[in-house]
Amino acid sequence: MNPSNFINKQKVALVLSSGGARGFAHIGVIETLLENNYEISSIAGCSMGSLIGGVFCTGELDKFKEWATGLQKADVFKLYDFTFAANGLVKGEKVFREIQQFLPDRDISELNIPFTAVAADVVDQKEYIFKNGPLYDALRASCAIPGVVKPVEIKGKQLLDGGILNPLPLNLIEKRDDELLVAVNVNACVPHHAPVRSPEEVIADKAFDRKVWTMLNKWLKRDKPATKHPKPEKLQEEKKKFGFFELMLRASDMMQDRLTDKMVELYPPHMLVNISRKAGGTFEYYRAAEFIEAGRQATLRALARHQWIKNEKVKSGYNRTATS
């Protein structure tokens, strides 16, 4: 890589949140920053944010994006390696074996860009920070959704999704004078400007969601045997009933939202990129291209806002100088 390519580029320390499938938006954020003359100098990530950040730091984001945007609904179900273990429905190994076919494992300390991932140590009840060691160990642990994916055992620790304790790990990045600290939250409570979708697409997506939640709840035998599905025209009107897993994940979402707000308050970034939680569901991995575009649009809005604030500060400085 030619060092001259980085002349006059603003360095960015990037923090990427948890968020399931919505985390594909992080790809759009990264691409947009690079296209606008920013250089990403370090990344800290949680859960899906750790996956996207870790892949980028290997230099293989393009390969990963090609794979992700090719996923269809049927492909998503094939990536679930079900287990009858009491501590999780999915082993969480199959998807990483699939990714390893085009992105070999490597040590975090040898990545092109400094990278940090966070998981939750459920025995010692504290953050478990990855700054070295096998990349895939860090990614699997950071992405292990409680109750859905089995905990990852490393050095005698039982590790789960980092979002339990730190969904937006701003505390893991040290602010530097020569860097812009950018945080990306794909769970934001902001309006979502959804692309136009056909009624057939909406119905198909709702049917996919129903299939996922029914499958999870059947594993616990919490639901009665499936009855007749409602007619498509009734699907939108159907009163929402939550199964055990959906209630658990929604409760987790509320907790993570509060933790995210607190992290932004304690460690305010220079720029915050918000992608709405309403952009899509946790398990809708087949919508990668749509989430990537949502990340791109959110980043363009954040960059415009950041530039406007800079300009206002400059104007204020001029005014003070003129009147002093």
Side-chain angles (χ1 to χ4, degrees):
M1 186 175 292
N2 187 347
S4 65
N5 291 338
F6 293 116
I7 293 176
N8 297 325
K9 289 195 174 184
Q10 168 71 66
K11 290 184 177 181
V12 167
L14 190 60
V15 181
L16 305 178
S17 77
S18 59
R22 286 187 305 278
F24 282 133
H26 294 313
I27 298 176
V29 174
I30 291 171
E31 290 180 337
T32 306
L33 287 172
L34 297 178
E35 290 165 2
N36 284 272
N37 208 38
Y38 291 89
E39 173 195 352
I40 297 172
S41 50
S42 64
I43 292 183
C46 173
S47 195
M48 193 64 170
S50 71
L51 175 58
I52 302 302
V55 169
F56 174 74
C57 291
T58 68
E60 303 291 354
L61 188 62
D62 288 344
K63 289 182 181 178
F64 179 84
K65 178 184 176 182
E66 181 179 0
W67 171 78
T69 53
L71 290 174
Q72 304 297 318
K73 291 185 177 72
D75 300 319
V76 172
F77 277 104
K78 289 177 184 178
L79 292 174
Y80 291 137
D81 42 1
F82 297 105
T83 176
F84 291 101
N87 56 358
L89 171 61
V90 178
K91 294 178 184 177
E93 298 171 359
K94 194 171 183 180
V95 63
F96 287 104
R97 286 200 301 269
E98 180 82 10
I99 296 172
Q100 278 186 289
Q101 292 183 20
F102 58 87
L103 202 164
D105 197 5
R106 61 201 74 183
D107 195 281
I108 294 173
S109 62
E110 298 173 355
L111 296 177
N112 299 338
I113 296 170
F115 172 68
T116 305
V118 61
D121 179 350
V122 294
V123 176
D124 293 336
Q125 298 183 5
K126 62 182 183 181
E127 295 177 4
Y128 190 97
I129 310 301
F130 292 90
K131 288 182 177 288
N132 50 50
L135 176 63
Y136 277 89
D137 282 355
L139 302 185
R140 287 182 60 243
S142 188
C143 293
I145 301 173
V148 178
V149 180
K150 287 180 61 178
V152 175
E153 186 170 342
I154 297 176
K155 298 179 180 179
K157 307 291 186 182
Q158 295 288 315
L159 304 179
L160 282 172
D161 193 310
I164 297 171
L165 294 175
N166 196 351
L168 188 65
L170 282 157
N171 60 315
L172 302 184
I173 293 283
E174 183 177 351
K175 274 189 175 180
R176 295 175 50 176
D177 292 339
D178 64 335
E179 288 182 332
L180 186 71
L181 178 58
V182 177
V184 186
N185 178 22
V186 302
N187 306 308
C189 297
V190 297
H192 173 55
H193 307 284
V196 177
R197 301 171 66 81
S198 69
E200 292 77 15
E201 288 176 315
V202 172
I203 290 171
D205 287 348
K206 287 183 176 293
F208 178 86
D209 287 343
R210 288 171 57 84
K211 186 175 180 181
V212 170
W213 295 117
T214 299
M215 174 187 65
L216 293 174
N217 286 305
K218 276 187 176 180
W219 177 73
L220 281 183
K221 297 182 179 178
R222 300 253 173 180
D223 287 349
K224 296 177 181 179
T227 55
K228 290 196 312 183
H229 290 293
K231 294 180 180 180
E233 60 270 19
K234 296 282 188 182
L235 206 53
Q236 299 250 19
E237 303 171 7
E238 187 183 59
K239 188 176 180 180
K240 187 67 176 174
K241 295 179 181 179
F242 300 123
F244 175 81
F245 273 105
E246 193 166 7
L247 279 173
M248 182 178 68
L249 290 179
R250 280 177 173 262
S252 176
D253 286 345
M254 289 189 290
M255 175 191 71
Q256 291 188 45
D257 288 349
R258 186 63 61 89
L259 288 172
T260 297
D261 290 343
K262 181 59 66 175
M263 292 302 293
V264 172
E265 179 184 333
L266 292 174
Y267 305 93
H270 298 117
M271 188 171 84
L272 179 61
V273 181
N274 281 321
I275 291 94
S276 175
R277 182 184 293 282
K278 295 179 181 179
T282 301
F283 299 109
E284 294 179 332
Y285 294 100
Y286 58 91
R287 293 174 61 189
E290 186 179 331
F291 292 136
I292 291 170
E293 181 59 24
R296 178 180 298 279
Q297 295 303 321
T299 307
L300 290 173
R301 290 192 295 270
L303 286 171
R305 185 167 58 249
H306 178 69
Q307 187 59 51
W308 181 85
I309 292 172
K310 283 178 62 177
N311 292 342
E312 288 301 305
K313 286 182 177 178
V314 170
K315 289 179 184 177
S316 298
Y318 286 153
N319 289 338
R320 284 196 298 272
T321 301
T323 57
S324 60

